[in-house]
Amino acid sequence: MKLHYSPTSPYARKALAVAKHHGLAIELVASNPSQNPAHLLAVNPLCKIPSLETDDGVALNDSPIICEYLDHLGQGPKLFPAPGPARWRALALAALTDGILDAAVPRRGQQAFPMDEGRSAMVGRFQSAMSRTVDALEGVDLSGPLDIGKLGVVVALGYLDFRYAQEPWRPGHPKLEAFYAEQMKNPIFSETAPPPA
Ligand SMILES: N[C@@H](CCC(=O)N[C@@H](CS)C(=O)NCC(=O)O)C(=O)O
């Protein structure tokens, strides 16, 4: 199995954390999508990371699918609950936390360009989506065993620390702060944290 990834990609971090949770061995291929590397384009025409090449020769693109595939392979406690209320709760939380990334990652990409009216409106929408969603997470019950939703919470908050340290998320979110501090003791998170910014 080969994972095209970057140590700064939060989507790739989710896949790395799931692989570590199950002790799965994966060959890592460092990829910078903005350079359109041929090895990434060969498996993902969208030129995004993460992309997982399975041992069966299937290319899995999009972190939710990659995480579910790795969880299906793993022998550790499952991160994707079986169909039922726990599964829908975990997937709903995972989608919300992916949504934070889907706003935070492209918002950052806008910084390289002059801030015209259209761009400023778009950045404002991204920023509001991020802060509203962090507020919503404070009200979510994060007790119980780790699942793909809670894993997403850790990765999203870690990305905010990494790229948006000037907009600290901890003030006003004591439950999230305690949850995050506790989870960061788990090597699947401490060993996949992005490098110092
Ligand atoms: N929905 C995708 C998003 C992946 C994504 O946007 N990855 C970023 C890196 S953090 C990327 O490859 N960006 C390159 C681009 O959008 O051209 C997932 O969950 O894997």
Side-chain angles (χ1 to χ4, degrees), residues 20-177:
K20 262 189 197 295
H21 171 82
H22 287 297
L24 297 170
I26 304 191
E27 182 187 341
L28 296 178
V29 183
S31 300
N32 181 345
S34 61
Q35 292 173 351
N36 297 322
H39 61 83
L40 179 58
L41 284 172
V43 288
N44 187 355
L46 298 169
C47 199
K48 285 179 186 265
I49 51 169
S51 174
L52 184 79
E53 292 180 58
T54 72
D55 290 342
D56 306 326
V58 178
L60 297 178
N61 299 309
D62 213 25
S63 58
I65 301 172
I66 295 172
C67 289
E68 186 154 8
Y69 177 77
L70 294 172
D71 193 49
H72 141 86
L73 285 186
Q75 300 299 313
K78 294 295 180 196
L79 296 169
F80 285 77
R87 179 177 176 85
W88 311 127
R89 263 197 304 275
L91 292 185
L93 185 56
L96 263 190
T97 58
D98 277 348
I100 292 180
L101 301 180
D102 293 344
V105 170
R107 177 183 157 197
R108 203 171 157 269
Q110 297 299 320
Q111 287 167 3
F113 303 100
M115 204 39 78
D116 60 22
E117 200 182 325
R119 183 158 289 125
S120 161
M122 192 196 318
V123 165
R125 282 190 66 77
F126 286 148
Q127 183 169 12
S128 302
M130 290 160 61
S131 64
R132 273 194 311 260
T133 307
V134 171
D135 286 349
L137 293 181
E138 178 70 8
V140 172
D141 177 6
L142 296 172
S143 60
L146 186 66
D147 61 25
I148 195 63
K150 292 170 199 152
L151 184 149
V153 173
V154 178
V155 169
L157 295 176
Y159 188 74
L160 297 184
D161 274 348
F162 177 48
R163 293 299 196 198
Y164 292 91
Q166 76 285 4
E167 295 172 24
W169 57 265
R170 286 174 181 78
H173 304 111
K175 286 198 270 179
L176 275 186
E177 181 174 3

